[in-house]
Amino acid sequence: QVQLVESGGGLVQAGGSLRLSCAASGSIFSIGSMGWYRQAPGKERELVAAILHRDITNYADSVKGRFTISRDNAKNTVYLQLNSLKPEDTAVYYCNVVASSYGDYVSNTYWGQGTQVTVSS
């Protein structure tokens, strides 16, 4: 099994920055894509950014140019740098990792526990 631990959320004023981290641990055989989703109150969970194994990235249009996703494969960690934050970025941010474990070697999708990002105007 794979466990994800997120950190870095918090309260920030509009225009400010935050950095989210998500570390994967456990009996990891391989990790494929890593990404971040967010869910605001009353809204569906949406993709924010994703990064594939060879650093191919994908961003939601609403965050392009403001957020940057990166990964450290040696640490099994994915980061999300949030700059120029807006009140509409307020949401719970969830880490998402596709990984396989020793034993079954089957790719599964794992979710972090979520970290709150609140942007005040």
Side-chain angles (χ1 to χ4, degrees), residues 32-94:
S33 66
M34 308 181 84
W36 293 91
Y37 286 69
R38 68 185 181 187
Q39 187 166 19
K43 294 187 177 181
E44 294 186 353
R45 190 174 297 189
E46 63 175 359
L47 173 68
V48 176
I51 183 167
L52 302 182
H53 187 71
R54 294 189 177 183
D55 293 339
I56 298 172
T57 58
N58 181 37
Y59 293 94
D61 288 342
S62 59
V63 307
K64 283 180 180 177
R66 300 189 298 120
F67 293 5
T68 302
I69 190 170
S70 60
R71 62 191 284 173
D72 184 333
N73 292 324
K75 296 182 179 180
N76 292 333
T77 298
V78 60
Y79 306 95
L80 187 67
Q81 179 68 41
L82 297 76
N83 295 331
S84 302
L85 281 161
K86 303 176 181 180
E88 51 263 43
D89 294 319
T90 296
V92 178
Y93 284 69
Y94 296 91

Side-chain angles (χ1 to χ4, degrees), residues 87-118:
E88 51 263 43
D89 294 319
T90 296
V92 178
Y93 284 69
Y94 296 91
C95 175
N96 172 281
V97 171
V98 176
S100 60
S101 301
Y102 285 103
D104 59 19
Y105 304 100
V106 174
S107 290
N108 290 300
T109 299
Y110 297 90
W111 291 93
Q113 78 280 8
T115 184
Q116 178 71 45
V117 171
T118 302

